[in-house]
């Protein structure tokens, strides 16, 4: 089965708190790609990051960081010092090189950052 | 702004009707994907076109069809509409770098079937 699970449906934090969004995926393929997208209240889907299955190097971009661990099939996303503008639904997604690139999305985690 | 445009932004119609959603990909992108986002199904892949040819099909109903034109814009046609077709429809275009592909999404068309 090819599946993405975001077990956290909703998370609420207070501004400046750190928050981690969990993503667990299932696949038997050895070559795959993982993504995070953000959907703010305005509705558009914004690309945040792509990771390849053969590159487990973790990444930090400003207040965002991503932890990819093949051993646990997880690709978690952390926001440091959260801000109200981070309030959005965050989607983790999976795609495969030999399947035309279609994205398989998780159900999303709604993050609410309160002032 | 992703560079992907979709029209119209909102659409309200009645059951049994037919609508056409339009998407213009980013300049230079050959691939167009269509996705449906609904409360019960989440974000689901519908169909992909690459340079005018259908490349992959997902959970797309027979009442739905799509095409990509020579200028690379794409249209998604939804016919015999039902209440359950109310959803946000996204188009995405992709840039390929080697074996790696990233999809950039348009703002979506919000369809309400009454």
């Amino acid at each position: 089965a090819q599946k993405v699970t975001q077990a956290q449906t909703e998370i609420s934090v207070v501004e400046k708190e750190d928050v981690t969004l969990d993503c667990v995926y299932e696949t038997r393929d050895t070559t795959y790609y993982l993504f995070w997208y953000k959907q703010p209240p305005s509705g558009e889907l914004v690309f945040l990051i792509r990771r390849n299955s053969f590159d487990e190097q973790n990444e930090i971009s400003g207040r965002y960081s991503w932890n990819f661990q093949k051993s646990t099939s997880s690709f978690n996303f952390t926001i440091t010092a959260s801000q109200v503008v981070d309030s959005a639904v965050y989607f983790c997604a999976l795609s495969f090189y030999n399947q035309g690139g279609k994205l398989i999305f998780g159900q999303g985690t709604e993050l609410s950052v309160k002032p | 702004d992703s560079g992907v445009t979709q029209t119209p932004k909102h659409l309200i119609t009645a059951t049994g009707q037919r609508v056409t959603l339009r998407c213009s990909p980013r300049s230079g992108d050959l691939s167009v994907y269509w996705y449906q986002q609904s409360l019960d199904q989440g974000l689901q892949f519908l169909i992909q076109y690459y340079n005018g040819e259908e490349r992959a099909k997902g959970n797309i109903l027979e009442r739905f069809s799509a095409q990509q034109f020579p200028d690379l814009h794409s249209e998604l046609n939804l016919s015999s509409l039902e209440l359950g077709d109310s959803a946000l429809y996204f188009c995405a275009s992709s840039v390929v770098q080697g074996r790696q592909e990233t999809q950039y999404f348009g703002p979506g068309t919000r369809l309400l079937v009454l």
Side-chain angles (χ1 to χ4, degrees):
Chain A
Q2 297 170 339
K3 191 179 169 184
V4 176
T5 301
Q6 296 179 255
Q8 305 150 308
T9 307
E10 295 177 19
I11 299 177
S12 182
V13 299
V14 176
E15 215 172 10
K16 296 184 185 173
E17 283 185 25
D18 298 348
V19 57
T20 295
L21 310 183
D22 297 333
C23 172
V24 173
Y25 60 93
E26 293 176 35
T27 180
R28 290 185 178 176
D29 282 51
T30 54
T31 302
Y32 52 89
Y33 308 96
L34 293 162
F35 301 81
W36 277 95
Y37 284 86
K38 172 182 179 179
Q39 187 174 37
S42 50
E44 73 273 24
L45 277 167
V46 179
F47 166 72
L48 295 177
I49 191 172
R50 180 193 69 227
R51 220 68 205 132
N52 314 317
S53 57
F54 42 88
D55 179 6
E56 283 191 76
Q57 192 171 32
N58 292 319
E59 183 164 334
I60 297 174
S61 176
R63 296 184 298 106
Y64 295 169
S65 62
W66 290 270
N67 185 354
F68 175 31
Q69 292 197 339
K70 279 175 86 166
S71 59
T72 56
S73 297
S74 64
F75 184 42
N76 297 336
F77 171 33
T78 297
I79 303 175
T80 303
S82 59
Q83 300 176 0
V84 173
V85 292
D86 296 326
S87 297
V89 181
Y90 290 85
F91 291 94
C92 182
L94 176 64
S95 76
F96 303 90
Y97 175 71
N98 61 354
Q99 292 185 26
K102 68 176 183 184
L103 292 169
I104 299 169
F105 284 91
Q107 287 300 102
T109 296
E110 183 173 2
L111 173 65
S112 176
V113 182
K114 300 191 187 312
Chain B
D1 187 347
S2 67
V4 179
T5 60
Q6 288 187 250
T7 56
K9 199 157 185 171
H10 301 276
L11 202 45
I12 301 175
T13 189
T15 54
Q17 295 298 305
R18 173 189 168 96
V19 297
T20 298
L21 313 184
R22 184 188 166 103
C23 167
S24 292
R26 297 173 351 141
S27 178
D29 288 355
L30 300 179
S31 258
V32 168
Y33 296 78
W34 287 97
Y35 292 84
Q36 179 194 60
Q37 185 178 27
S38 61
L39 282 174
D40 52 344
Q41 297 289 328
L43 267 161
Q44 300 261 320
F45 165 71
L46 294 178
I47 197 163
Q48 179 204 2
Y49 278 82
Y50 179 83
N51 203 19
E53 300 287 326
E54 181 185 304
R55 178 169 267 194
K57 225 168 181 175
N59 299 325
I60 187 165
L61 299 171
E62 282 192 18
R63 300 183 286 107
F64 296 1
S65 65
Q67 53 185 326
Q68 186 178 28
F69 295 87
D71 66 352
L72 300 177
H73 92 271
S74 178
E75 292 181 357
L76 179 67
N77 300 297
L78 315 176
S79 61
S80 303
L81 285 167
E82 302 175 359
L83 296 178
D85 297 328
S86 296
L88 186 52
Y89 291 85
F90 285 108
C91 161
S93 72
S94 67
V95 56
V96 179
Q97 296 163 315
R99 295 178 65 178
Q100 302 175 34
E101 183 174 353
T102 298
Q103 292 178 38
Y104 293 90
F105 284 77
T109 293
R110 193 171 294 276
L111 173 66
L112 180 59
V113 182
L114 300 175

